[in-house]
Amino acid sequence: MQIIDILKSKKVALSFEVFPPKKIEALESIKKTAVELTALNPDFISVTFGAGGTTQGYTADIAQSIEENGTKALAHLTCVRSTNEDLHNIIKNLKEKKISNVLALRGDFPKNAAEGENIFPSGMTHASDLTSLLKKEGFCVGGACYPEGHPESGSRELDIENLKHKVDAGVDFLTTQMFFDNDMLYSFLYRLQSAGIHVPVLAGIMPITNANQVSRMVDLSNAYIPRKLLAICDRFRNSPQAMMQAGIAYATDQIIDLISNGVRGIHIYTMNKPEIAKAIISNVNEIIKTIND
Ligand code: FAD
Protein backbone atom coordinates (compact mmCIF):
# COMPACT_ATOMS: atom_id res chain seq x y z
CA MET A 1 0.00 0.00 0.00
CA GLN A 2 1.27 3.47 -0.85
CA ILE A 3 0.82 6.54 1.32
CA ILE A 4 -1.80 8.01 -1.01
CA ASP A 5 -3.96 4.89 -0.45
CA ILE A 6 -3.63 5.33 3.33
CA LEU A 7 -4.59 9.01 3.07
CA LYS A 8 -7.63 8.17 0.95
CA SER A 9 -8.78 5.41 3.28
CA LYS A 10 -8.50 7.26 6.63
CA LYS A 11 -10.65 10.08 7.96
CA VAL A 12 -7.61 11.39 9.84
CA ALA A 13 -4.06 10.26 9.10
CA LEU A 14 -1.12 10.95 11.36
CA SER A 15 2.58 11.01 10.52
CA PHE A 16 5.89 11.80 12.20
CA GLU A 17 9.26 13.00 10.96
CA VAL A 18 12.84 12.09 11.82
CA PHE A 19 16.09 13.45 10.47
CA PRO A 20 19.33 11.54 9.81
CA PRO A 21 22.41 12.11 11.96
CA LYS A 22 25.42 14.11 10.76
CA LYS A 23 27.83 11.31 11.70
CA ILE A 24 27.62 7.58 11.10
CA GLU A 25 28.23 6.85 14.81
CA ALA A 26 24.75 8.22 15.59
CA LEU A 27 22.97 6.24 12.85
CA GLU A 28 22.00 3.28 15.05
CA SER A 29 20.60 5.56 17.74
CA ILE A 30 18.43 7.44 15.20
CA LYS A 31 17.21 4.12 13.82
CA LYS A 32 16.24 3.22 17.40
CA THR A 33 14.37 6.52 17.72
CA ALA A 34 12.51 5.79 14.49
CA VAL A 35 11.59 2.33 15.76
CA GLU A 36 10.31 3.85 19.05
CA LEU A 37 8.10 6.12 16.95
CA THR A 38 6.66 3.14 15.03
CA ALA A 39 5.33 1.84 18.37
CA LEU A 40 2.97 4.85 18.45
CA ASN A 41 1.24 3.52 15.29
CA PRO A 42 1.57 6.49 12.97
CA ASP A 43 0.34 6.01 9.40
CA PHE A 44 3.85 6.78 8.17
CA ILE A 45 7.16 8.29 9.25
CA SER A 46 9.07 10.62 6.96
CA VAL A 47 12.86 10.81 6.92
CA THR A 48 14.48 14.07 5.83
CA PHE A 49 17.35 14.40 3.36
CA GLY A 50 20.41 16.57 3.92
CA ALA A 51 20.40 18.64 0.73
CA GLY A 52 23.94 18.73 -0.68
CA GLY A 53 25.18 17.14 2.55
CA THR A 54 27.25 14.12 3.42
CA THR A 55 24.54 12.17 5.22
CA GLN A 56 22.18 11.63 2.29
CA GLY A 57 22.66 7.85 2.18
CA TYR A 58 21.30 7.48 5.73
CA THR A 59 17.80 8.55 4.66
CA ALA A 60 17.19 5.27 2.83
CA ASP A 61 18.78 3.23 5.67
CA ILE A 62 16.51 4.79 8.29
CA ALA A 63 13.46 4.46 5.99
CA GLN A 64 14.27 0.77 5.59
CA SER A 65 14.40 0.25 9.41
CA ILE A 66 11.02 1.94 9.73
CA GLU A 67 9.47 -0.32 7.10
CA GLU A 68 11.06 -3.40 8.69
CA ASN A 69 9.10 -2.46 11.81
CA GLY A 70 5.82 -2.48 9.94
CA THR A 71 5.32 1.27 9.35
CA LYS A 72 5.36 3.02 5.97
CA ALA A 73 8.32 5.31 5.40
CA LEU A 74 8.45 8.44 3.28
CA ALA A 75 12.00 9.18 2.10
CA HIS A 76 12.70 12.85 1.35
CA LEU A 77 14.83 13.68 -1.70
CA THR A 78 16.12 17.03 -2.97
CA CYS A 79 17.47 17.98 -6.41
CA VAL A 80 19.71 20.88 -5.39
CA ARG A 81 23.41 20.10 -6.04
CA SER A 82 22.56 16.60 -7.34
CA THR A 83 23.70 15.33 -10.71
CA ASN A 84 21.53 13.02 -12.81
CA GLU A 85 23.84 10.20 -11.78
CA ASP A 86 23.40 11.02 -8.05
CA LEU A 87 19.62 10.99 -8.43
CA HIS A 88 19.71 7.78 -10.44
CA ASN A 89 21.82 6.07 -7.72
CA ILE A 90 19.56 7.28 -4.92
CA ILE A 91 16.46 6.06 -6.76
CA LYS A 92 18.11 2.69 -7.37
CA ASN A 93 19.00 2.41 -3.67
CA LEU A 94 15.43 3.31 -2.61
CA LYS A 95 14.02 0.67 -4.95
CA GLU A 96 16.47 -1.95 -3.65
CA LYS A 97 15.29 -1.13 -0.12
CA LYS A 98 11.65 -1.37 -1.30
CA ILE A 99 10.87 2.24 -0.39
CA SER A 100 8.01 3.30 -2.64
CA ASN A 101 7.08 6.71 -1.21
CA VAL A 102 9.22 9.81 -1.73
CA LEU A 103 8.80 13.49 -0.80
CA ALA A 104 10.13 15.40 -3.83
CA LEU A 105 11.86 18.64 -2.86
CA ARG A 106 14.06 21.22 -4.46
CA GLY A 107 16.03 21.96 -1.25
CA ASP A 108 17.19 25.37 -0.05
CA PHE A 109 19.80 27.38 -1.94
CA PRO A 110 23.12 26.39 -0.33
CA LYS A 111 24.55 29.21 1.81
CA ASN A 112 28.12 28.15 0.97
CA ALA A 113 27.70 28.08 -2.83
CA ALA A 114 30.72 29.48 -4.68
CA GLU A 115 30.13 32.30 -7.14
CA GLY A 116 29.18 30.83 -10.50
CA GLU A 117 28.52 27.34 -9.08
CA ASN A 118 25.79 25.50 -10.95
CA ILE A 119 23.65 24.38 -8.03
CA PHE A 120 21.30 22.40 -10.26
CA PRO A 121 23.71 20.16 -12.24
CA SER A 122 20.87 17.78 -13.19
CA GLY A 123 18.99 20.64 -14.84
CA MET A 124 16.15 20.12 -12.35
CA THR A 125 15.51 23.53 -10.86
CA HIS A 126 12.18 22.92 -9.13
CA ALA A 127 10.55 20.15 -7.13
CA SER A 128 8.09 19.70 -10.00
CA ASP A 129 10.98 18.45 -12.21
CA LEU A 130 11.94 15.86 -9.61
CA THR A 131 8.28 14.91 -9.22
CA SER A 132 8.03 14.07 -12.94
CA LEU A 133 11.12 11.85 -12.71
CA LEU A 134 9.89 10.04 -9.57
CA LYS A 135 6.44 9.45 -11.03
CA LYS A 136 8.04 7.91 -14.15
CA GLU A 137 9.97 5.63 -11.79
CA GLY A 138 6.70 4.47 -10.21
CA PHE A 139 6.89 6.15 -6.78
CA CYS A 140 4.03 7.60 -4.77
CA VAL A 141 5.20 11.23 -4.55
CA GLY A 142 4.56 13.89 -1.93
CA GLY A 143 5.43 17.58 -2.19
CA ALA A 144 5.96 20.51 0.17
CA CYS A 145 3.63 23.50 0.41
CA TYR A 146 3.64 26.75 2.35
CA PRO A 147 0.47 28.12 4.00
CA GLU A 148 2.20 31.48 4.52
CA GLY A 149 3.90 31.41 1.10
CA HIS A 150 7.40 30.17 0.25
CA PRO A 151 9.92 32.89 1.21
CA GLU A 152 11.20 33.22 -2.40
CA SER A 153 7.89 33.28 -4.17
CA GLY A 154 7.12 37.00 -4.08
CA SER A 155 3.42 36.54 -3.47
CA ARG A 156 1.08 33.87 -2.11
CA GLU A 157 -0.84 33.87 -5.41
CA LEU A 158 2.31 33.12 -7.41
CA ASP A 159 3.29 30.45 -4.92
CA ILE A 160 -0.05 28.70 -5.43
CA GLU A 161 0.35 28.94 -9.22
CA ASN A 162 3.75 27.26 -8.86
CA LEU A 163 2.28 24.67 -6.52
CA LYS A 164 -0.31 23.88 -9.18
CA HIS A 165 2.57 23.03 -11.60
CA LYS A 166 3.93 20.63 -8.99
CA VAL A 167 0.55 18.95 -8.52
CA ASP A 168 0.07 18.78 -12.31
CA ALA A 169 3.48 17.09 -12.53
CA GLY A 170 2.02 14.25 -10.46
CA VAL A 171 2.34 15.02 -6.73
CA ASP A 172 -0.07 12.67 -4.94
CA PHE A 173 -0.27 14.58 -1.65
CA LEU A 174 1.19 17.64 0.06
CA THR A 175 2.72 18.28 3.47
CA THR A 176 2.73 21.85 4.77
CA GLN A 177 5.51 23.85 6.23
CA MET A 178 5.01 24.38 9.99
CA PHE A 179 2.51 27.04 11.02
CA PHE A 180 1.40 28.18 14.47
CA ASP A 181 -1.88 29.90 13.66
CA ASN A 182 -4.48 27.50 12.29
CA ASP A 183 -6.31 30.30 10.49
CA MET A 184 -3.28 30.51 8.16
CA LEU A 185 -3.93 26.90 7.17
CA TYR A 186 -7.69 27.32 6.73
CA SER A 187 -7.26 30.28 4.40
CA PHE A 188 -4.53 28.38 2.48
CA LEU A 189 -6.79 25.32 2.05
CA TYR A 190 -9.50 27.59 0.71
CA ARG A 191 -7.06 29.10 -1.82
CA LEU A 192 -5.97 25.59 -2.88
CA GLN A 193 -9.57 24.63 -3.59
CA SER A 194 -10.07 27.82 -5.61
CA ALA A 195 -6.94 27.02 -7.63
CA GLY A 196 -8.23 23.52 -8.41
CA ILE A 197 -5.71 21.74 -6.15
CA HIS A 198 -7.56 18.80 -4.63
CA VAL A 199 -4.81 16.38 -3.47
CA PRO A 200 -4.75 15.45 0.26
CA VAL A 201 -2.86 17.94 2.48
CA LEU A 202 -1.11 17.00 5.72
CA ALA A 203 -0.90 19.91 8.18
CA GLY A 204 2.64 20.27 9.57
CA ILE A 205 2.76 20.82 13.33
CA MET A 206 6.01 21.70 15.06
CA PRO A 207 5.83 21.37 18.87
CA ILE A 208 7.84 24.25 20.35
CA THR A 209 9.35 22.75 23.48
CA ASN A 210 12.32 25.06 23.86
CA ALA A 211 11.89 28.84 23.71
CA ASN A 212 15.08 29.34 21.66
CA GLN A 213 13.50 27.21 18.92
CA VAL A 214 11.10 30.03 18.05
CA SER A 215 13.63 32.37 16.44
CA ARG A 216 15.21 29.43 14.56
CA MET A 217 11.78 28.37 13.30
CA VAL A 218 10.93 31.89 12.16
CA ASP A 219 14.25 32.06 10.25
CA LEU A 220 13.56 28.68 8.70
CA SER A 221 9.91 29.05 7.83
CA ASN A 222 8.93 32.73 8.05
CA ALA A 223 5.97 31.53 10.10
CA TYR A 224 3.82 34.02 12.01
CA ILE A 225 4.12 33.44 15.77
CA PRO A 226 0.84 34.22 17.56
CA ARG A 227 0.91 36.32 20.73
CA LYS A 228 -0.22 33.28 22.77
CA LEU A 229 2.85 31.24 21.75
CA LEU A 230 5.21 34.21 22.28
CA ALA A 231 3.79 34.63 25.81
CA ILE A 232 4.45 30.94 26.55
CA CYS A 233 8.05 31.27 25.37
CA ASP A 234 8.63 34.48 27.35
CA ARG A 235 7.10 33.09 30.53
CA PHE A 236 8.78 29.66 30.52
CA ARG A 237 12.05 30.42 28.69
CA ASN A 238 14.14 29.46 31.74
CA SER A 239 12.01 26.53 32.96
CA PRO A 240 12.69 23.67 30.52
CA GLN A 241 10.12 21.24 31.95
CA ALA A 242 7.36 23.85 32.08
CA MET A 243 8.26 25.03 28.56
CA MET A 244 8.05 21.47 27.28
CA GLN A 245 4.66 20.93 28.89
CA ALA A 246 3.30 24.23 27.56
CA GLY A 247 4.70 23.55 24.04
CA ILE A 248 3.09 20.11 23.98
CA ALA A 249 -0.22 21.65 25.13
CA TYR A 250 0.00 24.31 22.39
CA ALA A 251 0.65 21.71 19.67
CA THR A 252 -2.14 19.50 21.08
CA ASP A 253 -4.54 22.43 20.97
CA GLN A 254 -3.62 23.14 17.34
CA ILE A 255 -4.17 19.48 16.40
CA ILE A 256 -7.56 19.22 18.14
CA ASP A 257 -8.74 22.39 16.43
CA LEU A 258 -7.54 21.11 13.02
CA ILE A 259 -9.28 17.77 13.43
CA SER A 260 -12.46 19.45 14.71
CA ASN A 261 -12.47 21.57 11.55
CA GLY A 262 -12.21 18.58 9.24
CA VAL A 263 -8.48 18.52 8.43
CA ARG A 264 -7.67 14.96 7.41
CA GLY A 265 -3.90 14.74 7.82
CA ILE A 266 -1.58 15.79 10.66
CA HIS A 267 2.20 15.61 10.25
CA ILE A 268 4.11 16.15 13.50
CA TYR A 269 7.68 17.42 13.20
CA THR A 270 8.84 15.12 15.98
CA MET A 271 12.50 16.17 15.64
CA ASN A 272 13.93 12.80 16.81
CA LYS A 273 12.16 13.20 20.17
CA PRO A 274 9.87 10.20 20.75
CA GLU A 275 8.94 11.45 24.24
CA ILE A 276 7.32 14.55 22.74
CA ALA A 277 5.47 12.47 20.14
CA LYS A 278 4.31 10.12 22.91
CA ALA A 279 2.95 13.00 25.02
CA ILE A 280 1.05 14.51 22.09
CA ILE A 281 -0.37 11.15 21.02
CA SER A 282 -1.59 10.39 24.52
CA ASN A 283 -3.48 13.72 24.35
CA VAL A 284 -5.16 13.02 21.01
CA ASN A 285 -5.35 9.25 20.48
CA GLU A 286 -8.99 8.89 21.59
CA ILE A 287 -9.94 11.81 19.35
CA ILE A 288 -8.27 10.28 16.31
CA LYS A 289 -9.64 6.83 17.13
CA THR A 290 -13.20 8.16 17.44
CA ILE A 291 -13.01 9.93 14.08
CA ASN A 292 -11.52 6.91 12.30
CA ASP A 293 -13.90 4.32 13.83
P1 FAD B 1 9.76 24.13 -5.10
O1 FAD B 1 8.44 23.51 -5.12
O2 FAD B 1 10.64 23.96 -6.30
O3 FAD B 1 9.54 25.69 -4.83
C1 FAD B 1 10.66 26.54 -4.54
C2 FAD B 1 10.34 27.98 -4.96
O4 FAD B 1 10.26 28.03 -6.40
C3 FAD B 1 8.99 28.49 -4.46
O5 FAD B 1 9.14 29.86 -4.20
C4 FAD B 1 8.04 28.24 -5.62
O6 FAD B 1 6.95 29.17 -5.60
C5 FAD B 1 8.97 28.47 -6.81
N1 FAD B 1 8.62 27.63 -7.97
C6 FAD B 1 8.24 26.34 -7.97
N2 FAD B 1 8.02 25.91 -9.22
C7 FAD B 1 8.26 26.97 -10.04
C8 FAD B 1 8.22 27.17 -11.46
N3 FAD B 1 7.87 26.18 -12.28
N4 FAD B 1 8.54 28.40 -11.94
C9 FAD B 1 8.90 29.42 -11.10
N5 FAD B 1 8.97 29.28 -9.75
C10 FAD B 1 8.65 28.08 -9.24
N6 FAD B 1 14.83 20.58 2.75
C11 FAD B 1 15.83 19.68 2.73
O7 FAD B 1 16.97 20.03 2.39
N7 FAD B 1 15.63 18.38 3.12
C12 FAD B 1 14.41 17.92 3.49
O8 FAD B 1 14.26 16.74 3.82
C13 FAD B 1 13.32 18.85 3.52
N8 FAD B 1 12.08 18.46 3.87
C14 FAD B 1 11.03 19.35 3.82
C15 FAD B 1 9.74 18.91 4.14
C16 FAD B 1 8.67 19.80 4.11
C17 FAD B 1 7.28 19.31 4.44
C18 FAD B 1 8.89 21.18 3.78
C19 FAD B 1 7.75 22.15 3.80
C20 FAD B 1 10.16 21.62 3.47
C21 FAD B 1 11.25 20.72 3.47
N9 FAD B 1 12.54 21.11 3.14
C22 FAD B 1 13.58 20.21 3.13
C23 FAD B 1 12.82 22.51 2.80
C24 FAD B 1 12.65 22.79 1.28
O9 FAD B 1 13.67 22.11 0.57
C25 FAD B 1 12.76 24.30 1.07
O10 FAD B 1 11.64 24.94 1.61
C26 FAD B 1 13.04 24.77 -0.35
O11 FAD B 1 13.37 26.15 -0.29
C27 FAD B 1 11.89 24.62 -1.33
O12 FAD B 1 11.65 23.33 -1.64
P2 FAD B 1 10.32 22.92 -2.48
O13 FAD B 1 10.40 21.50 -2.72
O14 FAD B 1 9.12 23.50 -1.86
O15 FAD B 1 10.65 23.72 -3.86
Side-chain angles (χ1 to χ4, degrees):
M1 203 188 230
Q2 293 190 314
I3 287 176
I4 185 59
D5 303 314
I6 301 176
L7 297 179
K8 282 182 178 162
S9 69
K10 304 268 307 243
K11 291 195 182 120
V12 179
L14 181 80
S15 56
F16 297 147
E17 182 163 305
V18 294
F19 56 88
K22 289 211 163 56
K23 296 199 173 130
I24 185 126
E25 300 81 60
L27 184 58
E28 286 313 311
S29 121
I30 304 289
K31 282 188 186 173
K32 229 175 106 205
T33 299
V35 169
E36 270 183 65
L37 287 171
T38 64
L40 298 173
N41 284 324
D43 291 296
F44 68 90
I45 299 179
S46 75
V47 188
T48 67
F49 185 86
T54 52
T55 65
Q56 297 179 339
Y58 305 158
T59 297
D61 286 341
I62 297 168
Q64 186 181 33
S65 300
I66 291 168
E67 297 234 334
E68 281 169 358
N69 277 278
T71 299
K72 275 277 152 230
L74 174 67
H76 294 202
L77 177 59
T78 65
C79 53
V80 68
R81 270 189 170 156
S82 292
T83 62
N84 279 318
E85 192 188 353
D86 294 334
L87 294 171
H88 173 79
N89 288 336
I90 293 167
I91 287 172
K92 186 163 167 269
N93 187 26
L94 289 171
K95 285 187 173 177
E96 280 166 7
K97 293 189 158 72
K98 307 241 177 317
I99 308 298
S100 58
N101 299 279
V102 178
L103 190 74
L105 298 146
R106 184 199 68 185
D108 281 322
F109 288 124
K111 290 196 176 88
N112 60 353
E115 215 182 309
E117 179 189 345
N118 175 11
I119 57 169
F120 298 112
S122 67
M124 293 189 199
T125 52
H126 297 295
S128 49
D129 303 324
L130 185 56
T131 299
S132 303
L133 171 69
L134 290 165
K135 286 307 290 180
K136 266 191 223 133
E137 294 285 345
F139 289 95
C140 168
V141 180
C145 63
Y146 303 83
E148 296 172 64
H150 184 267
E152 289 162 33
S153 63
S155 78
R156 290 183 190 179
E157 288 70 29
L158 203 55
D159 203 32
I160 298 238
E161 270 178 43
N162 292 331
L163 185 59
K164 180 89 170 70
H165 293 312
K166 191 152 63 177
V167 173
D168 290 344
V171 155
D172 294 291
F173 65 94
L174 294 164
T175 304
T176 78
Q177 179 60 286
M178 67 190 83
F179 59 91
F180 303 99
D181 177 348
N182 287 358
D183 286 344
M184 297 284 179
L185 182 86
Y186 301 139
S187 104
F188 176 67
L189 292 178
Y190 177 74
R191 281 180 281 127
L192 292 189
Q193 291 295 314
S194 306
I197 297 175
H198 302 297
V199 295
V201 178
L202 290 137
I205 297 297
M206 168 71 80
I208 298 291
T209 53
N210 166 338
N212 298 328
Q213 247 178 307
V214 166
S215 43
R216 278 205 307 278
M217 293 309 143
V218 174
D219 283 351
L220 199 76
S221 67
N222 256 348
Y224 163 67
I225 309 292
R227 192 192 52 74
K228 187 173 163 185
L229 182 54
L230 280 177
I232 289 174
C233 294
D234 283 347
R235 182 70 182 85
F236 302 117
R237 175 170 304 279
N238 298 318
S239 317
Q241 291 306 319
M243 183 63 225
M244 185 179 297
Q245 197 169 43
I248 287 168
Y250 190 92
T252 301
D253 189 45
Q254 269 194 287
I255 293 170
I256 295 173
D257 180 69
L258 291 168
I259 295 175
S260 306
N261 281 285
V263 169
R264 295 188 53 180
I266 308 287
H267 180 71
I268 307 180
Y269 291 102
T270 39
M271 306 295 286
N272 296 358
K273 291 187 178 142
E275 68 283 4
I276 290 172
K278 254 179 232 165
I280 294 176
I281 295 309
S282 78
N283 288 340
V284 298
N285 56 2
E286 283 304 323
I287 293 166
I288 292 178
K289 194 166 157 279
T290 303
I291 301 266
N292 280 325
D293 273 351

